[in-house]
Amino acid sequence: MYLKMTTNEQRHQSTSFPFSTMTSHLLLFGLLVAGCSLAFASDPSPLQDFCVADQNSRVFVNGLVCKEARLVQADDFFYSGLQLMGNTSNAVGSAVTPVTVAELPGLNTLGISMARIDFAPQGINPPHTHPRATEILTVMEGRILVGFVTSNPENRLITKLLQKGDVFVFPKGLIHFQKNVGNGYAVAIAALSSQNPGVITIANAVFGSNPDIAADILAKAFQVDVNVVNQIQSKF
Ligand SMILES: *[C@@H]1O[C@H](CO)[C@@H](O)[C@H](O)[C@H]1NC(C)=O
């Protein structure tokens, strides 16, 4: 009896929207429609069950050419090695072990990939962006401070301290970073919404491009003396 009353009450509520609820539903619908056109900005949907990358092909398309389906094996969909810790003995104290289409050819056309990230104590994964993917990160071990910055003109920093088991998402294209704030090693697993997310590490791209961006351009952009730019460029 009580259950039945609850059900009637719910039905009543769902058939008499206050105006503000209807407005918000219309807004949501509008956003969904807008989202349909944005969907083309991610990896395209597959046109067959799979398209294992033929890494020997000399033909270049948007993605990689499919290996002949009858030659495909279970190992084409397989990768082994994420149990191994990356070597974090470097200037930033972190190591990324990627599992993209380059390492796992079965990912071709599937719009997904992953990575293991190891951090030495106080190590960082420096500010970077993935031009083709949103990233969702899970902390497996340790405490990791994460953050991303929104686009111009706000450039708002959105940051959070994560514990083991916590999950955080970095929206596509935005500059983000991670830091191990614990005293031991930290490990995270990232999933990315592209078979080939790409990485642009900000410091390397700006101060370590090949050839260099002219120092006077960077001096003006960063509002510092040319000597400061030369000093930073010498590190990358
Ligand atoms: C880790 O990398 C450092 C620097 O490149 C290197 O000297 C060291 O031998 C590497 N350690 C292992 C275990 O591979």
Side-chain angles (χ1 to χ4, degrees):
M1 185 62 174
Y2 173 75
L3 266 176
K4 197 170 182 190
M5 274 174 69
T6 309
T7 310
N8 284 342
E9 194 175 65
Q10 281 171 346
R11 191 173 299 134
H12 176 71
Q13 280 176 348
S14 65
T15 49
S16 61
F17 295 119
F19 179 72
S20 61
T21 314
M22 276 186 73
T23 311
S24 66
H25 282 206
L26 278 173
L27 248 174
L28 186 63
F29 179 70
L31 284 174
L32 283 173
V33 170
C36 289
S37 57
L38 293 178
F40 295 113
S42 59
D43 284 10
S45 294
L47 301 174
Q48 57 270 307
D49 286 352
F50 52 77
C51 169
V52 171
D54 177 356
Q55 259 128 348
N56 300 317
S57 175
R58 296 284 84 201
V59 177
F60 296 97
V61 292
N62 187 23
L64 293 152
V65 171
C66 309
K67 183 172 170 178
E68 206 181 330
R70 67 180 175 85
L71 300 178
V72 165
Q73 306 287 335
D75 278 351
D76 290 320
F77 302 95
F78 172 79
Y79 172 92
S80 178
L82 280 197
Q83 81 283 11
L84 299 173
M85 187 182 178
N87 184 348
T88 59
S89 300
N90 53 52
V92 291
S94 73
V96 177
T97 308
V99 187
T100 69
V101 71
E103 293 81 22
L104 204 174
L107 287 177
N108 194 38
T109 76
L110 298 183
I112 197 167
S113 60
M114 69 190 305
R116 169 179 172 142
I117 312 163
D118 287 282
F119 301 86
Q122 307 300 312
I124 63 158
N125 188 6
H128 64 280
T129 170
H130 304 290
R132 293 176 288 275
T134 288
E135 170 177 344
I136 185 165
L137 183 101
T138 308
V139 178
M140 306 304 287
E141 206 60 65
R143 295 195 310 139
I144 300 177
L145 178 74
V146 300
F148 67 83
V149 180
T150 68
S151 59
N152 300 358
E154 290 82 8
N155 299 128
R156 181 179 163 206
L157 172 65
I158 296 186
T159 185
K160 188 152 177 78
L161 180 60
L162 306 181
Q163 316 283 343
K164 180 175 181 171
D166 289 353
V167 178
F168 196 83
V169 65
F170 304 101
K172 183 173 179 167
L174 300 187
I175 293 176
H176 58 280
F177 61 85
Q178 295 118 22
K179 180 185 181 187
N180 176 10
V181 292
N183 296 320
Y185 279 82
V187 186
I189 295 287
L192 298 121
S193 65
S194 170
Q195 66 178 38
N196 180 26
V199 187
I200 300 170
T201 303
I202 307 309
N204 301 55
V206 175
F207 294 101
S209 66
N210 197 3
D212 279 344
I213 298 176
D216 68 293
I217 296 173
L218 295 180
K220 204 163 269 185
F222 286 84
Q223 298 283 291
V224 292
D225 195 88
V226 168
N227 294 328
V228 176
V229 171
N230 290 332
Q231 193 195 338
I232 303 175
Q233 281 179 328
S234 71
K235 307 263 185 197
F236 292 91

